[in-house]
Amino acid sequence: MLRAHRIAPALATAVLTAAALTTAGTAHAATASAHATTAPHTRAALAATCSQSYLPLPDPVCTPGATNPDVTQDTIDDTICVGGYSTSIRPSTSYTNRLKVQQIAQYGYADTNTADYEEDHFIPLSLGGHPTDPRNLWPEPRYAVGPDSQASTDKDSVEYKLYRAVCNHQVDLVPAQRAIATDWTTALSVLGLG
């Protein structure tokens, strides 16, 4: 269920981004000038457009997940189920670290130490998640969060079990992707795997 208080900031961000992309370079200079004169606490407040209320899950508006079009049920034996596949398409740390810093600000985390977050593929590479699409990457806390005190290592365990089930043809790819993107904490039980 989408919440109105989260839709407005996301919509405003989209409108402002579209406006910035369609104007000449003077708009970019004006935006940069405005940011330079804005108080630091105001800049942080403007940047915090994603909600932490879903933790240990990402905000579904900011991080809905995205899949790799090269990975389908018909191609899993030639892609994700081949040893080393995820490593071969993993984006560079310079890309993910830069994105992590931006997204930590967007999520409004008080702790801005990048070492405390894993720039996580929401739909994992091992399940056909898109490697570089920012909609599939988010700064997942490494520490326990949420009502059940889940950590990034807990999600890693679920990812591996789903990957094994898909590659062993126990579960089809799309239901596995859908289950992990809906709620990784319940994905195994939803699919009858745990």
Side-chain angles (χ1 to χ4, degrees):
M1 175 167 93
L2 296 178
R3 296 182 184 174
H5 74 277
R6 292 174 335 129
I7 294 172
L11 182 58
T13 300
V15 169
L16 291 174
T17 301
L21 292 174
T22 59
T23 58
T26 56
H28 295 292
T31 302
S33 175
H35 283 297
T37 59
T38 305
H41 68 280
T42 305
R43 277 184 293 202
L46 291 174
T49 57
C50 303
S51 175
Q52 297 176 41
S53 66
Y54 297 93
L55 292 173
L57 308 174
D59 180 323
V61 172
C62 295
T63 313
T67 57
N68 183 340
D70 296 333
V71 180
T72 65
Q73 186 65 42
D74 292 336
T75 66
I76 63 171
D77 292 325
D78 298 319
T79 55
I80 63 171
C81 298
V82 173
Y85 169 78
S86 293
T87 302
S88 73
I89 65 162
R90 187 170 305 282
S92 69
T93 55
S94 62
Y95 173 77
T96 56
N97 285 344
R98 196 169 41 253
L99 188 59
K100 186 191 305 189
V101 169
Q102 292 170 0
Q103 292 178 333
I104 286 172
Q106 289 172 332
Y107 272 87
Y109 291 129
D111 172 9
T112 59
N113 182 356
T114 57
D116 292 337
Y117 303 92
E118 172 184 338
E119 189 64 8
D120 182 57
H121 286 92
F122 186 44
I123 298 173
L125 299 177
S126 61
L127 290 176
H130 199 286
T132 57
D133 190 326
R135 295 172 303 161
N136 196 44
L137 288 153
W138 77 294
E140 180 183 25
R142 293 187 189 277
Y143 48 85
V145 293
D148 296 326
S149 297
Q150 302 278 347
S152 62
T153 54
D154 297 313
K155 181 176 181 272
D156 294 341
S157 174
V158 171
E159 291 173 358
Y160 182 72
K161 289 175 183 176
L162 288 174
Y163 162 75
R164 296 301 313 148
V166 168
C167 289
N168 288 334
H169 301 279
Q170 295 172 285
V171 174
D172 284 342
L173 178 65
V174 171
Q177 290 172 333
R178 192 173 299 128
I180 203 160
T182 300
D183 186 342
W184 67 262
T185 67
T186 62
L188 295 174
S189 61
V190 164
L191 296 170
L193 299 171

